[in-house]
Amino acid sequence: LRDWQIVSADDGQVLGDGTFKTPYEPDGGALMAQSQLAAKVAKRIGRTLVTTGEKPASPNPMSYGCMVKGHAYADADSTMGLRKALDCYSKAHREDPDRAEPLAAIAFVSMTLAARSDRERTFELVQDAISKMQDALGKDSRSVDALVTQAMLEWQRFTDFESAFRKFDVLNQDHAYYWIVQQQRGLLLATLGREQDAIDAMRRAERLNPMSMLIKTDRGRIEWFFGLESKVIRDMQRYYEQTQPDPSSKRLVAG
């Protein structure tokens, strides 16, 4: 059984939902089952599926499997998980070098890991992020992860804050319900001194990904930066008590 729900990217309204039964198929057969499911969902909401010129009609099963595994590892709260995800995305790219999705995923995770690495490794990760981001956008100019990486690079690497602000403004209009867009946009807005906009963006990211302690602590850092010390201390004390079984989250809160 497959549950599905279609949510409008414009206003967050549910356009349709339901459950379909699809047969289990090993290996690449699972892709066929998912394609059939997508067609049924599209028919239910009165839409027609189209293919884009940037992507092959049938994804490479090995690459697809590596991407799924990478997404499972790609927990923003876990540095080890992100490193495993990067390995999976790199393998997905080797299996299917013509697809934009693995390249965009490599670019974004590389930028994320760069902030958690030593000087030499950081340089390597940023250079790889630049290269993979450019390649991804060359194959799919609408790739969200690649566009987010591009905006991150604009201000974190090239200190072009105005360009990054414009890019995040467009991303916020087109992908307001993607938590990564809101988190990264919030960090830039805080850097620009836009207090309420930064806090609002980070709180939206927290609502979109409520399980992430990284987002909670990012939001706390931004609120502290703008002088809300008492509130941040209360929040972090509560989180610290709640995260005792999870050492990595506990370290985030302690920091």
Side-chain angles (χ1 to χ4, degrees), residues 181-235:
V181 169
Q182 297 304 329
Q183 181 209 23
Q184 294 299 325
R185 175 172 167 266
L187 294 173
L188 172 62
L189 290 168
T191 304
L192 295 174
R194 300 182 57 153
E195 177 178 352
Q196 196 56 54
D197 290 339
I199 292 173
D200 288 346
M202 200 59 70
R203 287 176 178 171
R204 174 174 283 188
E206 189 174 354
R207 289 194 298 271
L208 293 169
N209 189 359
M211 300 301 293
S212 173
M213 192 57 66
L214 175 66
I215 296 176
K216 287 180 170 63
T217 53
D218 276 348
R219 187 258 300 159
R221 276 190 285 269
I222 287 175
E223 290 176 336
W224 169 78
F225 179 74
F226 288 113
L228 303 177
E229 293 95 341
S230 298
K231 178 184 182 302
V232 175
I233 289 172
R234 288 194 303 270
D235 288 347

Coordinates of all heavy atoms in Angstrom, one line a residue, residues 181-235:
V181 N 15.4 25.4 2.3 CA 15.4 26.8 1.8 C 15.2 27.7 3.0 O 15.9 28.8 3.1 CB 14.2 26.9 0.8 CG1 14.0 28.4 0.5 CG2 14.5 26.2 -0.5
Q182 N 14.3 27.4 3.9 CA 14.0 28.3 5.0 C 15.2 28.4 6.0 O 15.5 29.5 6.5 CB 12.7 27.9 5.7 CG 11.5 27.9 4.9 CD 11.2 29.3 4.3 OE1 11.6 30.3 4.9 NE2 10.7 29.4 3.1
Q183 N 15.8 27.3 6.3 CA 17.0 27.3 7.2 C 18.1 28.1 6.6 O 18.6 29.0 7.3 CB 17.4 25.9 7.5 CG 18.6 25.8 8.4 CD 19.5 24.6 8.2 OE1 19.6 24.1 7.1 NE2 20.3 24.2 9.2
Q184 N 18.5 27.9 5.4 CA 19.6 28.6 4.8 C 19.3 30.1 4.6 O 20.1 30.9 4.8 CB 20.1 27.9 3.5 CG 20.6 26.5 3.7 CD 21.9 26.5 4.6 OE1 22.7 27.5 4.5 NE2 22.1 25.5 5.4
R185 N 18.1 30.3 4.2 CA 17.6 31.7 4.0 C 17.7 32.4 5.4 O 18.1 33.6 5.5 CB 16.2 31.7 3.5 CG 15.6 33.1 3.3 CD 14.3 33.0 2.6 NE 13.5 34.2 2.7 CZ 12.5 34.4 3.6 NH1 12.2 33.4 4.4 NH2 11.9 35.5 3.6
G186 N 17.2 31.8 6.5 CA 17.3 32.4 7.8 C 18.7 32.7 8.2 O 18.9 33.8 8.8
L187 N 19.6 31.9 7.9 CA 21.0 32.2 8.3 C 21.5 33.4 7.6 O 22.2 34.3 8.1 CB 21.9 31.0 8.0 CG 21.6 29.7 8.8 CD1 22.4 28.5 8.3 CD2 21.9 30.0 10.3
L188 N 21.2 33.5 6.3 CA 21.6 34.7 5.5 C 20.9 36.0 6.0 O 21.6 37.0 6.2 CB 21.3 34.5 4.0 CG 21.5 35.8 3.2 CD1 23.0 36.2 3.2 CD2 21.1 35.5 1.7
L189 N 19.6 35.9 6.3 CA 18.9 37.1 6.8 C 19.5 37.5 8.1 O 19.6 38.7 8.4 CB 17.4 36.7 6.9 CG 16.7 36.6 5.6 CD1 15.3 35.9 5.9 CD2 16.5 37.9 4.9
A190 N 19.9 36.6 9.0 CA 20.5 37.0 10.3 C 21.8 37.7 10.0 O 22.1 38.7 10.7 CB 20.7 35.7 11.1
T191 N 22.6 37.2 9.1 CA 23.9 37.8 8.7 C 23.7 39.3 8.3 O 24.5 40.2 8.5 CB 24.6 37.0 7.7 OG1 24.8 35.7 8.2 CG2 26.0 37.6 7.4
L192 N 22.5 39.5 7.5 CA 22.2 40.8 7.0 C 21.6 41.7 8.1 O 21.2 42.9 7.8 CB 21.3 40.7 5.8 CG 21.9 40.0 4.6 CD1 20.8 39.8 3.5 CD2 23.1 40.8 4.0
G193 N 21.3 41.2 9.3 CA 20.7 42.0 10.3 C 19.2 42.1 10.3 O 18.7 43.0 11.0
R194 N 18.6 41.3 9.5 CA 17.1 41.4 9.3 C 16.5 40.5 10.4 O 16.1 39.3 10.1 CB 16.7 41.0 7.9 CG 17.4 42.0 6.9 CD 16.9 41.7 5.5 NE 15.5 41.7 5.3 CZ 14.9 42.0 4.1 NH1 15.7 42.3 3.1 NH2 13.6 42.0 4.0
E195 N 16.3 41.0 11.5 CA 16.0 40.2 12.7 C 14.7 39.4 12.6 O 14.7 38.2 12.7 CB 15.8 41.1 13.9 CG 15.4 40.4 15.2 CD 15.3 41.4 16.4 OE1 15.7 42.5 16.3 OE2 14.8 40.9 17.4
Q196 N 13.6 40.1 12.3 CA 12.3 39.4 12.3 C 12.2 38.4 11.2 O 11.7 37.3 11.3 CB 11.1 40.4 12.3 CG 9.8 39.7 12.7 CD 9.8 39.1 14.0 OE1 10.2 39.7 15.0 NE2 9.5 37.8 14.1
D197 N 12.7 38.8 10.0 CA 12.7 38.0 8.8 C 13.5 36.7 9.1 O 13.1 35.6 8.7 CB 13.2 38.7 7.6 CG 12.3 39.8 7.1 OD1 11.1 39.7 7.4 OD2 12.7 40.7 6.3
A198 N 14.7 36.9 9.7 CA 15.5 35.7 10.0 C 14.8 34.8 11.0 O 14.8 33.5 10.8 CB 16.9 36.2 10.6
I199 N 14.3 35.3 12.0 CA 13.6 34.5 13.0 C 12.4 33.8 12.4 O 12.2 32.6 12.7 CB 13.2 35.3 14.3 CG1 14.5 35.8 15.0 CG2 12.3 34.5 15.2 CD1 14.2 36.7 16.1
D200 N 11.6 34.5 11.6 CA 10.4 33.9 11.0 C 10.8 32.8 10.1 O 10.2 31.7 10.1 CB 9.7 35.0 10.2 CG 8.9 36.0 11.1 OD1 8.8 35.7 12.3 OD2 8.5 37.0 10.5
A201 N 11.9 32.9 9.3 CA 12.4 31.9 8.4 C 12.8 30.7 9.1 O 12.5 29.5 8.8 CB 13.5 32.4 7.5
M202 N 13.5 30.9 10.2 CA 14.0 29.7 11.0 C 12.9 29.0 11.7 O 12.9 27.8 11.9 CB 15.1 30.2 12.0 CG 16.0 29.0 12.5 SD 16.9 28.2 11.1 CE 18.0 29.4 10.6
R203 N 11.9 29.8 12.2 CA 10.8 29.1 12.8 C 10.0 28.3 11.8 O 9.4 27.3 12.1 CB 9.9 30.2 13.5 CG 10.6 30.7 14.8 CD 9.7 31.9 15.4 NE 10.4 32.3 16.7 CZ 10.0 33.4 17.3 NH1 8.9 34.1 16.9 NH2 10.6 33.8 18.4
R204 N 9.9 28.8 10.6 CA 9.2 28.1 9.6 C 10.0 26.8 9.3 O 9.4 25.7 9.1 CB 9.0 28.9 8.3 CG 8.5 28.1 7.1 CD 8.2 29.0 5.9 NE 7.0 29.7 6.1 CZ 6.4 30.5 5.1 NH1 7.0 30.5 3.9 NH2 5.3 31.1 5.3
A205 N 11.3 26.9 9.2 CA 12.1 25.7 9.0 C 11.9 24.7 10.1 O 11.8 23.5 9.8 CB 13.6 26.1 8.9
E206 N 11.7 25.2 11.3 CA 11.5 24.3 12.4 C 10.1 23.6 12.3 O 10.0 22.4 12.7 CB 11.6 25.1 13.7 CG 11.6 24.2 15.0 CD 11.8 25.0 16.2 OE1 12.1 26.3 16.1 OE2 11.7 24.5 17.3
R207 N 9.1 24.3 11.9 CA 7.8 23.7 11.7 C 7.8 22.6 10.6 O 7.1 21.6 10.7 CB 6.8 24.8 11.4 CG 6.4 25.7 12.6 CD 5.2 26.5 12.3 NE 5.3 27.3 11.1 CZ 5.7 28.6 11.2 NH1 6.1 29.1 12.4 NH2 5.8 29.3 10.1
L208 N 8.6 22.9 9.6 CA 8.7 22.0 8.4 C 9.5 20.7 8.8 O 9.3 19.7 8.2 CB 9.3 22.7 7.2 CG 8.4 23.8 6.6 CD1 9.2 24.6 5.6 CD2 7.1 23.2 6.0
N209 N 10.5 20.9 9.7 CA 11.3 19.7 10.1 C 11.4 19.7 11.6 O 12.5 20.0 12.2 CB 12.7 19.8 9.4 CG 13.5 18.6 9.6 OD1 13.1 17.6 10.3 ND2 14.8 18.6 9.1
P210 N 10.4 19.4 12.3 CA 10.3 19.5 13.7 C 11.2 18.6 14.5 O 11.5 18.8 15.7 CB 8.8 19.3 14.1 CG 8.3 18.4 13.0 CD 9.1 18.9 11.7
M211 N 11.8 17.5 13.9 CA 12.6 16.6 14.6 C 14.1 17.0 14.6 O 14.9 16.4 15.3 CB 12.5 15.2 13.9 CG 11.1 14.6 13.9 SD 10.4 14.4 15.6 CE 11.5 13.2 16.2
S212 N 14.4 18.0 13.8 CA 15.8 18.4 13.7 C 16.3 19.3 14.9 O 15.8 20.4 15.1 CB 16.1 19.2 12.4 OG 17.4 19.7 12.4
M213 N 17.2 18.8 15.7 CA 17.8 19.7 16.8 C 18.7 20.7 16.2 O 18.9 21.8 16.8 CB 18.5 18.8 17.8 CG 18.9 19.5 19.1 SD 17.4 20.2 19.9 CE 16.6 18.7 20.4
L214 N 19.3 20.5 15.0 CA 20.2 21.5 14.4 C 19.4 22.7 14.1 O 19.8 23.9 14.4 CB 20.7 20.9 13.1 CG 21.6 21.9 12.3 CD1 22.8 22.3 13.0 CD2 21.9 21.3 10.9
I215 N 18.2 22.6 13.6 CA 17.3 23.8 13.3 C 17.0 24.5 14.5 O 17.0 25.7 14.6 CB 16.1 23.3 12.5 CG1 16.5 22.8 11.1 CG2 15.2 24.5 12.3 CD1 15.3 22.3 10.3
K216 N 16.6 23.7 15.6 CA 16.3 24.4 16.8 C 17.4 25.2 17.4 O 17.2 26.3 17.9 CB 15.8 23.3 17.9 CG 14.5 22.7 17.6 CD 14.1 21.6 18.6 CE 12.7 21.1 18.5 NZ 12.4 20.5 17.3
T217 N 18.6 24.6 17.3 CA 19.8 25.3 17.9 C 20.2 26.5 16.9 O 20.6 27.5 17.4 CB 21.0 24.4 18.1 OG1 21.3 23.7 16.9 CG2 20.7 23.4 19.2
D218 N 20.0 26.3 15.6 CA 20.2 27.5 14.7 C 19.3 28.6 15.0 O 19.7 29.8 15.1 CB 20.0 27.0 13.3 CG 21.3 26.4 12.7 OD1 22.4 26.5 13.3 OD2 21.2 25.8 11.6
R219 N 18.0 28.3 15.3 CA 17.0 29.3 15.6 C 17.4 29.9 16.9 O 17.3 31.2 17.1 CB 15.6 28.6 15.7 CG 14.5 29.7 15.9 CD 14.0 29.6 17.4 NE 13.6 28.3 17.7 CZ 13.5 27.9 19.0 NH1 13.9 28.7 20.0 NH2 13.1 26.7 19.3
G220 N 17.9 29.1 17.9 CA 18.3 29.7 19.2 C 19.5 30.6 19.0 O 19.5 31.7 19.7
R221 N 20.5 30.3 18.2 CA 21.6 31.1 18.0 C 21.2 32.5 17.4 O 21.7 33.5 17.7 CB 22.6 30.4 17.1 CG 23.6 29.5 17.8 CD 24.7 29.0 16.9 NE 24.3 28.1 16.0 CZ 24.3 26.7 16.2 NH1 24.8 26.3 17.4 NH2 23.9 25.9 15.3
I222 N 20.2 32.4 16.4 CA 19.8 33.7 15.8 C 19.0 34.5 16.8 O 19.3 35.7 16.9 CB 18.9 33.3 14.6 CG1 19.7 32.8 13.4 CG2 18.1 34.6 14.1 CD1 18.9 32.3 12.2
E223 N 18.2 33.9 17.6 CA 17.5 34.7 18.6 C 18.4 35.3 19.7 O 18.3 36.4 20.1 CB 16.4 33.8 19.3 CG 15.3 33.4 18.4 CD 14.3 32.5 19.0 OE1 14.7 31.7 20.0 OE2 13.1 32.4 18.6
W224 N 19.4 34.5 20.1 CA 20.5 35.0 21.0 C 21.2 36.2 20.3 O 21.5 37.2 21.0 CB 21.4 33.9 21.3 CG 22.7 34.4 22.1 CD1 22.8 34.7 23.4 CD2 23.9 34.6 21.5 NE1 24.1 35.1 23.7 CE2 24.8 35.0 22.5 CE3 24.5 34.4 20.2 CZ2 26.1 35.4 22.3 CZ3 25.8 34.7 20.0 CH2 26.6 35.2 21.0
F225 N 21.5 36.1 19.1 CA 22.3 37.1 18.3 C 21.5 38.4 18.4 O 22.1 39.5 18.5 CB 22.5 36.6 16.9 CG 23.2 37.6 16.0 CD1 24.5 37.8 16.1 CD2 22.5 38.4 15.0 CE1 25.2 38.7 15.3 CE2 23.1 39.3 14.2 CZ 24.5 39.5 14.4
F226 N 20.2 38.3 18.4 CA 19.4 39.5 18.4 C 18.9 39.9 19.8 O 17.9 40.7 19.9 CB 18.2 39.4 17.4 CG 18.6 39.4 16.0 CD1 18.4 38.3 15.2 CD2 19.1 40.6 15.4 CE1 18.8 38.3 13.8 CE2 19.5 40.6 14.1 CZ 19.3 39.5 13.3
G227 N 19.5 39.3 20.8 CA 19.3 39.8 22.2 C 18.2 39.1 23.0 O 17.8 39.5 24.1
L228 N 17.7 37.9 22.5 CA 16.7 37.2 23.2 C 17.3 36.1 24.1 O 16.9 35.0 24.1 CB 15.7 36.6 22.2 CG 15.0 37.5 21.3 CD1 14.1 36.8 20.3 CD2 14.2 38.6 22.0
E229 N 18.2 36.5 25.0 CA 19.0 35.6 25.8 C 18.1 34.7 26.7 O 18.3 33.5 26.8 CB 20.1 36.3 26.6 CG 21.2 37.0 25.8 CD 20.9 38.5 25.5 OE1 19.7 38.8 25.7 OE2 21.8 39.2 25.2
S230 N 17.2 35.4 27.4 CA 16.4 34.6 28.4 C 15.6 33.5 27.8 O 15.6 32.4 28.3 CB 15.5 35.6 29.2 OG 16.3 36.5 29.9
K231 N 15.0 33.9 26.6 CA 14.2 32.9 25.9 C 15.0 31.7 25.4 O 14.7 30.5 25.6 CB 13.5 33.5 24.7 CG 12.7 32.5 23.9 CD 12.1 33.2 22.7 CE 11.2 32.2 21.9 NZ 11.9 31.0 21.5
V232 N 16.2 32.0 24.9 CA 17.1 31.0 24.3 C 17.6 30.1 25.5 O 17.6 28.8 25.3 CB 18.3 31.6 23.6 CG1 19.3 30.5 23.2 CG2 17.8 32.4 22.4
I233 N 17.9 30.6 26.6 CA 18.4 29.8 27.7 C 17.3 28.8 28.2 O 17.6 27.7 28.4 CB 18.9 30.7 28.9 CG1 20.2 31.4 28.5 CG2 19.1 29.9 30.2 CD1 20.6 32.4 29.5
R234 N 16.1 29.3 28.3 CA 15.0 28.5 28.7 C 14.7 27.3 27.7 O 14.6 26.2 28.0 CB 13.7 29.3 28.8 CG 13.6 30.2 30.0 CD 12.2 30.7 30.3 NE 11.6 31.4 29.1 CZ 11.8 32.7 28.9 NH1 12.4 33.5 29.8 NH2 11.2 33.2 27.8
D235 N 14.8 27.7 26.4 CA 14.6 26.7 25.3 C 15.7 25.7 25.4 O 15.4 24.4 25.3 CB 14.5 27.4 23.9 CG 13.2 28.2 23.7 OD1 12.3 28.0 24.5 OD2 13.2 28.9 22.7

